Amino acid sequence: TIAFMTGLSTTSVSRALSDAPDIGSETKERVRLVASQIGYQPNRAGLRLRTGRTSVLALVLNVDDEIMGFTSQMIFGISQALKDTGYNLIVSPSSHDSDPLLPVRNILQSRSADGVIIMRTAPDDRRVQLLLEKDFPFVTHGRTDSGWTHPFHDFDNESFVYQAVGKLAGRGRRRLAIIRPPRDLTYAAHIAAGLERGLRDFGMTEVPLPVSIDTPLLDVRAAMDRAM
């Protein structure tokens, strides 16, 4: 239809829509204008057959209870970054009691995405190892600790906790309780190091809490009631 309306060949239209360098800017603009006027949208299934690409990123997301409210923030941030890129986001659910490799294997076998984002990284994360072995594009939210070189985004959790202890000490607090992450996650060790250093430097003591960030909120509330 676009070829008919512009008087161009279907090949030229296709190359203009894909921003091919051998198509002039005026031709590209004319093709895009007509495409916009008629509401053209690429057929993702056809595009995948022709190019092998899906224009999809997969977020491997833990769906168990968590008290940080982080899930919606993560999805919102990724969606904002993908706006106007032509990429779409899909969520591949995971849980604590299932094989962590399962959603990654499914993506690799079905080729349902062009890249993967994984969270809650462990020091020796088998998902990272698998994706590196398969040479599949991915990024992690959190570091690993096995000497692998891979893209990640993370915070300096050790410094964060150390500064938090210092802030509380500055307000006259001496006994500190902390809701820790599960010990099998990489940043749990970073938080523990920052806490130990902060307690020592600021002369504070820890009141242990038998909960983690994965503990249901009602149980966290009950543990805090007992501690208080």
Side-chain angles (χ1 to χ4, degrees), residues 137-200:
F138 74 98
V139 64
T140 65
H141 184 263
R143 282 170 275 183
T144 56
D145 194 24
S146 296
W148 299 318
T149 299
H150 65 85
F152 69 87
H153 175 82
D154 201 1
F155 308 98
D156 187 346
N157 286 287
E158 180 176 347
S159 178
F160 153 66
V161 174
Y162 182 83
Q163 292 181 47
V165 174
K167 290 284 188 182
L168 291 170
R171 298 182 65 176
R173 311 308 180 196
R174 289 293 172 262
R175 302 173 67 226
L176 176 68
I178 181 171
I179 301 177
R180 298 173 182 259
R183 296 183 182 278
D184 60 335
L185 300 182
T186 306
Y187 81 103
H190 303 158
I191 284 182
L195 178 65
E196 181 180 348
R197 186 160 57 93
L199 295 176
R200 182 182 65 248

Coordinates of all heavy atoms in Angstrom, one line a residue, residues 137-200:
P137 N 22.8 -11.6 24.5 CA 22.9 -10.3 25.1 C 22.1 -10.2 26.4 O 20.9 -10.6 26.5 CB 22.3 -9.3 24.1 CG 22.4 -10.0 22.8 CD 22.3 -11.5 23.1
F138 N 22.7 -9.7 27.5 CA 22.0 -9.6 28.8 C 22.7 -8.5 29.6 O 23.8 -8.1 29.4 CB 22.0 -10.9 29.5 CG 23.3 -11.2 30.1 CD1 23.6 -11.0 31.5 CD2 24.3 -11.8 29.4 CE1 24.8 -11.3 32.0 CE2 25.6 -12.2 29.9 CZ 25.8 -11.9 31.3
V139 N 21.9 -8.0 30.6 CA 22.5 -7.2 31.7 C 21.9 -7.6 33.0 O 20.7 -8.1 33.0 CB 22.2 -5.7 31.3 CG1 20.7 -5.4 31.4 CG2 22.9 -4.8 32.3
T140 N 22.6 -7.4 34.1 CA 22.1 -7.8 35.4 C 21.9 -6.6 36.3 O 22.7 -5.6 36.2 CB 23.1 -8.8 36.1 OG1 24.3 -8.1 36.4 CG2 23.4 -10.0 35.3
H141 N 20.9 -6.7 37.1 CA 20.7 -5.7 38.1 C 21.4 -6.3 39.4 O 20.8 -7.1 40.1 CB 19.3 -5.4 38.4 CG 19.0 -4.3 39.4 ND1 18.8 -4.6 40.7 CD2 19.1 -2.9 39.3 CE1 18.6 -3.4 41.4 NE2 18.8 -2.4 40.5
G142 N 22.6 -5.9 39.6 CA 23.4 -6.5 40.7 C 24.6 -7.2 40.1 O 24.6 -7.6 39.0
R143 N 25.6 -7.3 41.0 CA 26.9 -7.9 40.5 C 27.0 -9.4 40.8 O 26.2 -9.9 41.5 CB 28.1 -7.2 41.2 CG 28.4 -5.8 40.7 CD 29.4 -5.1 41.6 NE 28.7 -4.4 42.7 CZ 29.3 -3.6 43.5 NH1 30.6 -3.5 43.5 NH2 28.6 -3.0 44.5
T144 N 28.0 -10.0 40.2 CA 28.3 -11.4 40.5 C 29.7 -11.3 41.2 O 30.3 -10.2 41.2 CB 28.3 -12.3 39.3 OG1 29.2 -11.8 38.3 CG2 26.9 -12.5 38.7
D145 N 30.2 -12.4 41.6 CA 31.5 -12.4 42.3 C 32.4 -13.6 41.9 O 33.0 -14.2 42.7 CB 31.3 -12.4 43.8 CG 32.6 -12.0 44.6 OD1 33.5 -11.4 44.0 OD2 32.7 -12.4 45.8
S146 N 32.3 -13.9 40.6 CA 33.0 -15.1 40.1 C 34.1 -14.8 39.1 O 34.6 -15.7 38.4 CB 32.0 -16.1 39.5 OG 31.1 -16.6 40.6
G147 N 34.4 -13.5 38.9 CA 35.4 -13.2 38.0 C 35.0 -13.0 36.6 O 35.8 -12.8 35.6
W148 N 33.6 -13.2 36.3 CA 33.1 -13.0 35.0 C 33.0 -11.5 34.6 O 32.7 -10.7 35.5 CB 31.7 -13.6 34.9 CG 31.7 -15.1 35.1 CD1 32.6 -16.1 34.7 CD2 30.7 -15.8 35.9 NE1 32.2 -17.3 35.1 CE2 31.0 -17.2 35.9 CE3 29.5 -15.4 36.6 CZ2 30.3 -18.1 36.5 CZ3 28.8 -16.4 37.2 CH2 29.1 -17.7 37.2
T149 N 33.3 -11.2 33.4 CA 33.1 -9.9 32.9 C 31.7 -9.8 32.2 O 31.5 -10.5 31.2 CB 34.2 -9.5 31.9 OG1 35.5 -9.5 32.6 CG2 34.0 -8.0 31.4
H150 N 30.8 -9.0 32.7 CA 29.5 -8.9 32.1 C 28.9 -7.5 32.4 O 29.3 -6.9 33.5 CB 28.6 -10.0 32.5 CG 28.3 -10.0 34.0 ND1 27.2 -9.3 34.5 CD2 28.8 -10.6 35.0 CE1 27.2 -9.4 35.8 NE2 28.1 -10.3 36.1
P151 N 28.0 -7.0 31.7 CA 27.3 -5.7 32.0 C 26.4 -5.8 33.1 O 25.6 -6.8 33.3 CB 26.6 -5.4 30.7 CG 26.3 -6.7 30.0 CD 27.5 -7.6 30.4
F152 N 26.5 -4.8 34.0 CA 25.6 -4.8 35.2 C 25.3 -3.4 35.6 O 26.0 -2.5 35.2 CB 26.2 -5.6 36.4 CG 27.4 -4.9 37.0 CD1 27.3 -4.0 38.0 CD2 28.7 -5.2 36.5 CE1 28.4 -3.3 38.5 CE2 29.8 -4.6 37.0 CZ 29.7 -3.7 38.1
H153 N 24.2 -3.2 36.4 CA 23.9 -2.0 37.0 C 23.8 -2.3 38.5 O 23.1 -3.3 38.9 CB 22.7 -1.3 36.5 CG 22.3 -0.1 37.3 ND1 22.8 1.1 37.0 CD2 21.4 0.1 38.3 CE1 22.3 2.0 37.9 NE2 21.4 1.4 38.7
D154 N 24.4 -1.5 39.4 CA 24.4 -1.8 40.8 C 24.6 -0.5 41.6 O 25.0 0.5 41.0 CB 25.4 -2.9 41.1 CG 25.1 -3.6 42.4 OD1 24.1 -3.3 43.1 OD2 25.9 -4.4 42.8
F155 N 24.4 -0.6 42.9 CA 24.7 0.5 43.8 C 25.9 0.0 44.7 O 26.1 -1.2 44.9 CB 23.5 0.8 44.7 CG 22.3 1.0 43.9 CD1 21.3 0.0 43.7 CD2 22.0 2.3 43.3 CE1 20.2 0.2 42.9 CE2 20.9 2.5 42.5 CZ 20.0 1.5 42.3
D156 N 26.5 1.0 45.4 CA 27.5 0.7 46.4 C 26.8 0.4 47.7 O 26.7 1.3 48.5 CB 28.5 1.9 46.5 CG 29.7 1.6 47.3 OD1 29.6 0.6 48.1 OD2 30.7 2.3 47.3
N157 N 26.4 -0.8 47.8 CA 25.6 -1.1 49.0 C 26.4 -1.0 50.3 O 25.8 -0.7 51.4 CB 24.9 -2.5 48.9 CG 23.8 -2.5 47.9 OD1 22.7 -2.0 48.2 ND2 24.1 -3.1 46.7
E158 N 27.7 -1.3 50.2 CA 28.5 -1.3 51.4 C 28.6 0.2 51.9 O 28.4 0.5 53.1 CB 29.9 -1.8 51.2 CG 30.8 -1.7 52.4 CD 32.2 -2.4 52.1 OE1 32.3 -3.1 51.1 OE2 33.1 -2.2 53.0
S159 N 28.8 1.1 51.0 CA 28.9 2.5 51.4 C 27.5 3.0 51.9 O 27.4 3.8 52.8 CB 29.3 3.4 50.2 OG 29.4 4.7 50.5
F160 N 26.4 2.6 51.2 CA 25.1 3.0 51.6 C 24.8 2.6 53.1 O 24.3 3.5 53.9 CB 24.1 2.4 50.7 CG 22.7 2.2 51.3 CD1 21.9 3.3 51.6 CD2 22.2 0.9 51.5 CE1 20.7 3.1 52.2 CE2 21.0 0.7 52.1 CZ 20.2 1.8 52.4
V161 N 25.1 1.4 53.4 CA 24.8 0.9 54.8 C 25.7 1.6 55.8 O 25.2 2.0 56.9 CB 24.9 -0.6 54.9 CG1 24.7 -1.1 56.3 CG2 23.8 -1.3 54.0
Y162 N 26.9 1.8 55.4 CA 27.9 2.5 56.3 C 27.4 3.9 56.6 O 27.4 4.4 57.8 CB 29.3 2.5 55.7 CG 30.3 3.2 56.6 CD1 30.9 2.4 57.6 CD2 30.6 4.5 56.4 CE1 31.9 3.0 58.5 CE2 31.6 5.1 57.3 CZ 32.2 4.4 58.3 OH 33.1 5.0 59.1
Q163 N 26.9 4.6 55.6 CA 26.4 6.0 55.8 C 25.1 6.0 56.6 O 24.9 6.9 57.4 CB 26.2 6.6 54.4 CG 27.5 6.9 53.7 CD 27.3 7.6 52.4 OE1 26.6 8.6 52.3 NE2 28.0 7.1 51.3
A164 N 24.3 5.0 56.4 CA 23.0 4.9 57.1 C 23.3 4.7 58.6 O 22.6 5.3 59.4 CB 22.2 3.7 56.6
V165 N 24.3 3.8 58.9 CA 24.6 3.6 60.3 C 25.1 5.0 60.9 O 24.8 5.3 62.1 CB 25.7 2.5 60.5 CG1 26.2 2.4 61.9 CG2 25.1 1.2 60.0
G166 N 26.0 5.7 60.2 CA 26.5 6.9 60.6 C 25.4 8.0 60.9 O 25.4 8.7 61.8
K167 N 24.4 8.0 60.0 CA 23.3 8.9 60.2 C 22.5 8.6 61.5 O 22.2 9.6 62.2 CB 22.3 8.8 59.0 CG 22.9 9.4 57.7 CD 22.9 10.9 57.6 CE 23.3 11.4 56.3 NZ 23.3 12.9 56.2
L168 N 22.3 7.4 61.7 CA 21.5 7.0 62.9 C 22.4 7.3 64.2 O 21.8 7.7 65.2 CB 21.1 5.5 62.8 CG 20.0 5.2 61.8 CD1 19.9 3.7 61.6 CD2 18.7 5.8 62.2
A169 N 23.7 7.0 64.1 CA 24.5 7.3 65.2 C 24.5 8.8 65.5 O 24.5 9.2 66.7 CB 26.0 6.8 64.9
G170 N 24.5 9.6 64.4 CA 24.5 11.1 64.6 C 23.2 11.6 65.3 O 23.1 12.7 65.8
R171 N 22.2 10.7 65.3 CA 20.9 11.1 65.9 C 20.8 10.4 67.3 O 19.7 10.4 67.9 CB 19.7 10.7 65.0 CG 19.7 11.4 63.7 CD 18.5 11.0 62.8 NE 17.3 11.4 63.4 CZ 16.1 11.3 62.9 NH1 16.0 10.7 61.7 NH2 15.0 11.7 63.5
G172 N 21.9 9.9 67.8 CA 21.9 9.4 69.2 C 21.5 8.0 69.3 O 21.3 7.5 70.4
R173 N 21.4 7.3 68.2 CA 21.0 5.9 68.3 C 22.2 5.0 68.6 O 23.3 5.3 68.1 CB 20.3 5.4 67.0 CG 19.2 6.3 66.5 CD 18.2 6.7 67.5 NE 17.2 7.6 67.0 CZ 16.3 8.3 67.8 NH1 16.4 8.2 69.1 NH2 15.4 9.0 67.2
R174 N 21.9 3.9 69.4 CA 23.1 3.0 69.7 C 22.8 1.6 69.4 O 23.7 0.8 69.3 CB 23.4 3.2 71.2 CG 24.0 4.5 71.5 CD 25.4 4.6 70.9 NE 26.0 5.9 71.1 CZ 26.0 6.9 70.1 NH1 25.4 6.6 69.0 NH2 26.6 8.0 70.3
R175 N 21.5 1.2 69.3 CA 21.2 -0.2 69.0 C 20.4 -0.2 67.7 O 19.4 0.5 67.5 CB 20.3 -0.8 70.2 CG 21.1 -0.7 71.5 CD 20.2 -1.2 72.7 NE 19.8 -2.6 72.6 CZ 18.6 -3.1 72.7 NH1 17.6 -2.3 72.9 NH2 18.4 -4.4 72.7
L176 N 20.9 -1.0 66.7 CA 20.4 -0.9 65.4 C 19.9 -2.3 64.9 O 20.5 -3.3 65.1 CB 21.6 -0.5 64.4 CG 21.3 -0.5 63.0 CD1 20.3 0.6 62.6 CD2 22.6 -0.3 62.2
A177 N 18.7 -2.3 64.3 CA 18.2 -3.5 63.7 C 18.1 -3.2 62.1 O 17.9 -2.1 61.7 CB 16.8 -3.7 64.2
I178 N 18.4 -4.3 61.4 CA 18.4 -4.2 59.9 C 17.7 -5.3 59.3 O 17.8 -6.5 59.8 CB 19.9 -4.1 59.4 CG1 19.9 -4.0 57.9 CG2 20.7 -5.3 59.9 CD1 21.3 -3.7 57.3
I179 N 16.9 -5.0 58.3 CA 16.2 -6.1 57.5 C 17.1 -6.4 56.3 O 17.3 -5.6 55.4 CB 14.8 -5.6 57.0 CG1 14.0 -5.2 58.2 CG2 14.2 -6.7 56.2 CD1 12.6 -4.7 57.8
R180 N 17.8 -7.5 56.4 CA 18.8 -7.9 55.4 C 18.2 -8.6 54.2 O 17.1 -9.1 54.2 CB 19.8 -8.9 56.0 CG 20.6 -8.4 57.2 CD 21.4 -9.5 57.9 NE 22.1 -9.0 59.0 CZ 23.4 -8.8 59.0 NH1 24.1 -8.9 57.9 NH2 24.1 -8.4 60.1
P181 N 18.9 -8.6 53.1 CA 18.6 -9.4 51.9 C 18.9 -10.9 52.2 O 19.7 -11.2 53.1 CB 19.4 -8.9 50.8 CG 20.6 -8.3 51.5 CD 20.2 -7.8 52.8
P182 N 18.4 -11.8 51.4 CA 18.8 -13.2 51.6 C 20.3 -13.4 51.4 O 20.9 -12.7 50.6 CB 18.0 -13.9 50.5 CG 16.8 -13.0 50.2 CD 17.3 -11.6 50.4
R183 N 20.9 -14.3 52.2 CA 22.3 -14.4 52.2 C 22.9 -15.0 50.9 O 24.1 -14.8 50.7 CB 22.7 -15.3 53.4 CG 22.4 -14.8 54.7 CD 22.9 -15.7 55.8 NE 22.5 -15.2 57.2 CZ 23.2 -14.2 57.8 NH1 24.3 -13.7 57.3 NH2 22.8 -13.8 59.0
D184 N 22.1 -15.6 50.0 CA 22.6 -16.1 48.8 C 22.7 -15.1 47.7 O 23.2 -15.4 46.6 CB 21.7 -17.3 48.3 CG 20.3 -16.8 48.0 OD1 19.8 -15.8 48.6 OD2 19.6 -17.5 47.2
L185 N 22.3 -13.8 47.9 CA 22.5 -12.8 46.9 C 23.8 -12.1 47.1 O 24.3 -11.9 48.3 CB 21.3 -11.8 47.0 CG 19.9 -12.4 46.8 CD1 18.8 -11.3 46.9 CD2 19.8 -13.1 45.5
T186 N 24.4 -11.6 46.0 CA 25.7 -11.0 46.1 C 25.7 -9.8 47.0 O 26.7 -9.7 47.8 CB 26.1 -10.6 44.7 OG1 26.1 -11.7 43.8 CG2 27.6 -10.0 44.7
Y187 N 24.7 -8.9 46.9 CA 24.8 -7.7 47.7 C 24.6 -7.9 49.2 O 24.8 -7.0 50.0 CB 23.9 -6.6 47.1 CG 22.4 -6.7 47.5 CD1 21.9 -5.8 48.5 CD2 21.6 -7.6 46.9 CE1 20.6 -5.8 48.8 CE2 20.2 -7.6 47.2 CZ 19.7 -6.7 48.1 OH 18.4 -6.8 48.5
A188 N 24.2 -9.1 49.6 CA 24.1 -9.4 51.1 C 25.4 -9.3 51.7 O 25.5 -8.7 52.9 CB 23.5 -10.8 51.3
A189 N 26.5 -9.7 51.1 CA 27.8 -9.6 51.6 C 28.3 -8.2 51.7 O 29.0 -7.8 52.6 CB 28.8 -10.5 50.8
H190 N 27.9 -7.4 50.7 CA 28.3 -6.0 50.7 C 27.6 -5.2 51.9 O 28.2 -4.4 52.5 CB 27.9 -5.3 49.4 CG 28.5 -6.0 48.2 ND1 28.0 -5.9 46.9 CD2 29.6 -6.8 48.1 CE1 28.7 -6.6 46.1 NE2 29.7 -7.2 46.7
I191 N 26.3 -5.5 52.1 CA 25.6 -4.9 53.2 C 26.2 -5.3 54.5 O 26.3 -4.5 55.4 CB 24.1 -5.2 53.1 CG1 23.5 -4.4 51.9 CG2 23.4 -5.0 54.4 CD1 22.0 -4.6 51.7
A192 N 26.5 -6.6 54.6 CA 27.1 -7.1 55.9 C 28.4 -6.4 56.2 O 28.7 -6.0 57.3 CB 27.3 -8.6 55.8
A193 N 29.2 -6.2 55.1 CA 30.5 -5.5 55.3 C 30.3 -4.1 55.8 O 31.0 -3.6 56.7 CB 31.3 -5.6 54.1
G194 N 29.4 -3.4 55.1 CA 29.1 -2.0 55.5 C 28.6 -1.9 56.9 O 28.9 -0.9 57.7
L195 N 27.7 -2.8 57.3 CA 27.1 -2.8 58.6 C 28.2 -3.1 59.7 O 28.3 -2.3 60.7 CB 26.0 -3.9 58.7 CG 25.4 -4.0 60.1 CD1 24.6 -2.7 60.4 CD2 24.4 -5.2 60.1
E196 N 29.0 -4.1 59.5 CA 30.1 -4.4 60.4 C 31.0 -3.2 60.6 O 31.4 -2.9 61.8 CB 30.8 -5.7 60.0 CG 31.9 -6.1 60.9 CD 32.7 -7.3 60.4 OE1 32.2 -8.0 59.4 OE2 33.7 -7.7 60.9
R197 N 31.4 -2.6 59.6 CA 32.3 -1.5 59.6 C 31.7 -0.3 60.4 O 32.3 0.4 61.2 CB 32.8 -1.1 58.2 CG 33.9 0.0 58.2 CD 34.6 0.0 56.9 NE 33.7 0.1 55.7 CZ 33.4 1.3 55.2 NH1 34.0 2.4 55.7 NH2 32.6 1.4 54.1
G198 N 30.4 -0.1 60.0 CA 29.7 1.0 60.7 C 29.5 0.8 62.2 O 29.7 1.8 63.0
L199 N 29.1 -0.4 62.5 CA 28.9 -0.7 64.0 C 30.2 -0.5 64.7 O 30.2 0.1 65.9 CB 28.4 -2.1 64.1 CG 27.0 -2.5 63.6 CD1 26.7 -3.9 63.7 CD2 25.9 -1.6 64.2
R200 N 31.3 -0.9 64.1 CA 32.6 -0.8 64.8 C 33.0 0.7 64.9 O 33.4 1.2 66.0 CB 33.6 -1.6 64.0 CG 35.0 -1.5 64.7 CD 36.0 -2.3 63.8 NE 36.3 -1.7 62.5 CZ 35.9 -2.2 61.4 NH1 35.3 -3.4 61.4 NH2 36.1 -1.6 60.2

